[in-house]
PDB file of all heavy atoms in Angstrom:
ATOM      1  N   VAL A 275     -22.664  -5.940  24.871  1.00 96.00           N
ATOM      2  CA  VAL A 275     -23.124  -4.626  24.577  1.00 96.00           C
ATOM      3  C   VAL A 275     -23.888  -4.098  25.801  1.00 96.00           C
ATOM      4  O   VAL A 275     -24.900  -4.697  26.193  1.00 96.00           O
ATOM      5  CB  VAL A 275     -24.063  -4.524  23.332  1.00 96.00           C
ATOM      6  CG1 VAL A 275     -24.582  -3.129  23.078  1.00 96.00           C
ATOM      7  CG2 VAL A 275     -23.311  -5.025  22.124  1.00 96.00           C
ATOM      8  N   ASP A 276     -23.363  -3.018  26.420  1.00 96.00           N
ATOM      9  CA  ASP A 276     -23.973  -2.387  27.541  1.00 96.00           C
ATOM     10  C   ASP A 276     -24.415  -0.993  27.142  1.00 96.00           C
ATOM     11  O   ASP A 276     -23.626  -0.072  27.122  1.00 96.00           O
ATOM     12  CB  ASP A 276     -22.997  -2.312  28.697  1.00 96.00           C
ATOM     13  CG  ASP A 276     -23.686  -1.966  30.013  1.00 96.00           C
ATOM     14  OD1 ASP A 276     -24.706  -1.221  29.975  1.00 96.00           O
ATOM     15  OD2 ASP A 276     -23.148  -2.284  31.071  1.00 96.00           O
ATOM     16  N   LEU A 277     -25.756  -0.835  26.837  1.00 95.00           N
ATOM     17  CA  LEU A 277     -26.214   0.442  26.341  1.00 95.00           C
ATOM     18  C   LEU A 277     -26.311   1.458  27.450  1.00 95.00           C
ATOM     19  O   LEU A 277     -26.324   2.682  27.183  1.00 95.00           O
ATOM     20  CB  LEU A 277     -27.552   0.259  25.640  1.00 95.00           C
ATOM     21  CG  LEU A 277     -27.524  -0.606  24.392  1.00 95.00           C
ATOM     22  CD1 LEU A 277     -28.960  -0.742  23.747  1.00 95.00           C
ATOM     23  CD2 LEU A 277     -26.563  -0.009  23.353  1.00 95.00           C
ATOM     24  N   ALA A 278     -26.418   1.014  28.716  1.00 94.00           N
ATOM     25  CA  ALA A 278     -26.465   1.975  29.778  1.00 94.00           C
ATOM     26  C   ALA A 278     -25.100   2.638  29.990  1.00 94.00           C
ATOM     27  O   ALA A 278     -25.035   3.859  30.297  1.00 94.00           O
ATOM     28  CB  ALA A 278     -26.887   1.225  31.052  1.00 94.00           C
ATOM     29  N   ALA A 279     -24.072   1.869  29.820  1.00 95.00           N
ATOM     30  CA  ALA A 279     -22.683   2.436  29.955  1.00 95.00           C
ATOM     31  C   ALA A 279     -22.123   2.833  28.542  1.00 95.00           C
ATOM     32  O   ALA A 279     -21.073   3.415  28.511  1.00 95.00           O
ATOM     33  CB  ALA A 279     -21.785   1.396  30.579  1.00 95.00           C
ATOM     34  N   ASN A 280     -22.842   2.560  27.495  1.00 96.00           N
ATOM     35  CA  ASN A 280     -22.460   2.943  26.157  1.00 96.00           C
ATOM     36  C   ASN A 280     -21.125   2.320  25.775  1.00 96.00           C
ATOM     37  O   ASN A 280     -20.197   3.013  25.292  1.00 96.00           O
ATOM     38  CB  ASN A 280     -22.408   4.481  25.971  1.00 96.00           C
ATOM     39  CG  ASN A 280     -23.772   5.109  25.978  1.00 96.00           C
ATOM     40  OD1 ASN A 280     -24.653   4.736  25.207  1.00 96.00           O
ATOM     41  ND2 ASN A 280     -24.016   6.024  26.893  1.00 96.00           N
ATOM     42  N   VAL A 281     -20.949   1.070  26.044  1.00 97.00           N
ATOM     43  CA  VAL A 281     -19.699   0.329  25.754  1.00 97.00           C
ATOM     44  C   VAL A 281     -20.077  -1.007  25.067  1.00 97.00           C
ATOM     45  O   VAL A 281     -21.188  -1.476  25.226  1.00 97.00           O
ATOM     46  CB  VAL A 281     -18.859   0.063  27.022  1.00 97.00           C
ATOM     47  CG1 VAL A 281     -18.432   1.382  27.664  1.00 97.00           C
ATOM     48  CG2 VAL A 281     -19.598  -0.825  28.023  1.00 97.00           C
ATOM     49  N   ALA A 282     -19.158  -1.533  24.339  1.00 97.00           N
ATOM     50  CA  ALA A 282     -19.228  -2.816  23.684  1.00 97.00           C
ATOM     51  C   ALA A 282     -17.890  -3.507  23.684  1.00 97.00           C
ATOM     52  O   ALA A 282     -16.895  -2.801  23.580  1.00 97.00           O
ATOM     53  CB  ALA A 282     -19.787  -2.714  22.266  1.00 97.00           C
ATOM     54  N   GLU A 283     -17.861  -4.788  23.882  1.00 97.00           N
ATOM     55  CA  GLU A 283     -16.615  -5.542  23.971  1.00 97.00           C
ATOM     56  C   GLU A 283     -16.677  -6.824  23.181  1.00 97.00           C
ATOM     57  O   GLU A 283     -17.746  -7.416  23.039  1.00 97.00           O
ATOM     58  CB  GLU A 283     -16.321  -5.901  25.426  1.00 97.00           C
ATOM     59  CG  GLU A 283     -16.148  -4.700  26.336  1.00 97.00           C
ATOM     60  CD  GLU A 283     -15.933  -5.115  27.822  1.00 97.00           C
ATOM     61  OE1 GLU A 283     -15.956  -6.372  28.067  1.00 97.00           O
ATOM     62  OE2 GLU A 283     -15.721  -4.220  28.678  1.00 97.00           O
ATOM     63  N   TRP A 284     -15.503  -7.150  22.630  1.00 96.00           N
ATOM     64  CA  TRP A 284     -15.379  -8.537  22.022  1.00 96.00           C
ATOM     65  C   TRP A 284     -14.096  -9.073  22.591  1.00 96.00           C
ATOM     66  O   TRP A 284     -12.969  -8.734  22.186  1.00 96.00           O
ATOM     67  CB  TRP A 284     -15.271  -8.346  20.515  1.00 96.00           C
ATOM     68  CG  TRP A 284     -15.241  -9.675  19.738  1.00 96.00           C
ATOM     69  CD1 TRP A 284     -15.141 -10.932  20.282  1.00 96.00           C
ATOM     70  CD2 TRP A 284     -15.378  -9.892  18.333  1.00 96.00           C
ATOM     71  NE1 TRP A 284     -15.186 -11.886  19.317  1.00 96.00           N
ATOM     72  CE2 TRP A 284     -15.326 -11.267  18.095  1.00 96.00           C
ATOM     73  CE3 TRP A 284     -15.534  -8.972  17.274  1.00 96.00           C
ATOM     74  CZ2 TRP A 284     -15.395 -11.780  16.834  1.00 96.00           C
ATOM     75  CZ3 TRP A 284     -15.630  -9.520  15.983  1.00 96.00           C
ATOM     76  CH2 TRP A 284     -15.591 -10.890  15.733  1.00 96.00           C
ATOM     77  N   ASN A 285     -14.258  -9.989  23.570  1.00 96.00           N
ATOM     78  CA  ASN A 285     -13.164 -10.603  24.228  1.00 96.00           C
ATOM     79  C   ASN A 285     -12.940 -11.979  23.750  1.00 96.00           C
ATOM     80  O   ASN A 285     -13.862 -12.650  23.185  1.00 96.00           O
ATOM     81  CB  ASN A 285     -13.395 -10.640  25.775  1.00 96.00           C
ATOM     82  CG  ASN A 285     -13.515  -9.246  26.346  1.00 96.00           C
ATOM     83  OD1 ASN A 285     -12.616  -8.407  26.146  1.00 96.00           O
ATOM     84  ND2 ASN A 285     -14.559  -9.056  27.179  1.00 96.00           N
ATOM     85  N   GLY A 286     -11.731 -12.525  23.926  1.00 95.00           N
ATOM     86  CA  GLY A 286     -11.386 -13.872  23.387  1.00 95.00           C
ATOM     87  C   GLY A 286     -11.541 -13.917  21.942  1.00 95.00           C
ATOM     88  O   GLY A 286     -11.901 -14.942  21.325  1.00 95.00           O
ATOM     89  N   LEU A 287     -11.198 -12.807  21.208  1.00 96.00           N
ATOM     90  CA  LEU A 287     -11.376 -12.807  19.752  1.00 96.00           C
ATOM     91  C   LEU A 287     -10.460 -13.781  19.085  1.00 96.00           C
ATOM     92  O   LEU A 287      -9.261 -13.792  19.313  1.00 96.00           O
ATOM     93  CB  LEU A 287     -11.093 -11.333  19.293  1.00 96.00           C
ATOM     94  CG  LEU A 287     -10.948 -11.161  17.740  1.00 96.00           C
ATOM     95  CD1 LEU A 287     -12.213 -11.395  17.033  1.00 96.00           C
ATOM     96  CD2 LEU A 287     -10.503  -9.678  17.493  1.00 96.00           C
ATOM     97  N   LYS A 288     -10.992 -14.563  18.165  1.00 97.00           N
ATOM     98  CA  LYS A 288     -10.272 -15.386  17.293  1.00 97.00           C
ATOM     99  C   LYS A 288     -10.799 -15.304  15.862  1.00 97.00           C
ATOM    100  O   LYS A 288     -11.996 -15.366  15.683  1.00 97.00           O
ATOM    101  CB  LYS A 288     -10.380 -16.888  17.753  1.00 97.00           C
ATOM    102  CG  LYS A 288      -9.744 -17.163  19.025  1.00 97.00           C
ATOM    103  CD  LYS A 288      -9.819 -18.662  19.402  1.00 97.00           C
ATOM    104  CE  LYS A 288      -9.104 -19.017  20.725  1.00 97.00           C
ATOM    105  NZ  LYS A 288      -9.259 -20.444  21.032  1.00 97.00           N
ATOM    106  N   LEU A 289      -9.889 -14.994  14.944  1.00 96.00           N
ATOM    107  CA  LEU A 289     -10.263 -14.777  13.563  1.00 96.00           C
ATOM    108  C   LEU A 289      -9.401 -15.764  12.658  1.00 96.00           C
ATOM    109  O   LEU A 289      -8.240 -15.966  12.939  1.00 96.00           O
ATOM    110  CB  LEU A 289     -10.057 -13.345  13.099  1.00 96.00           C
ATOM    111  CG  LEU A 289     -10.886 -12.305  13.771  1.00 96.00           C
ATOM    112  CD1 LEU A 289     -10.441 -10.917  13.282  1.00 96.00           C
ATOM    113  CD2 LEU A 289     -12.348 -12.457  13.444  1.00 96.00           C
ATOM    114  N   SER A 290     -10.011 -16.143  11.565  1.00 97.00           N
ATOM    115  CA  SER A 290      -9.236 -16.948  10.648  1.00 97.00           C
ATOM    116  C   SER A 290      -9.861 -16.635   9.199  1.00 97.00           C
ATOM    117  O   SER A 290     -11.007 -16.445   9.077  1.00 97.00           O
ATOM    118  CB  SER A 290      -9.255 -18.430  10.896  1.00 97.00           C
ATOM    119  OG  SER A 290     -10.560 -18.964  10.733  1.00 97.00           O
TER     120      SER A 290
END
Side-chain angles (χ1 to χ4, degrees):
V275 177
D276 190 334
L277 296 180
N280 291 304
V281 298
E283 298 177 357
W284 187 349
N285 297 311
L287 168 65
K288 293 183 179 180
L289 295 174
S290 67

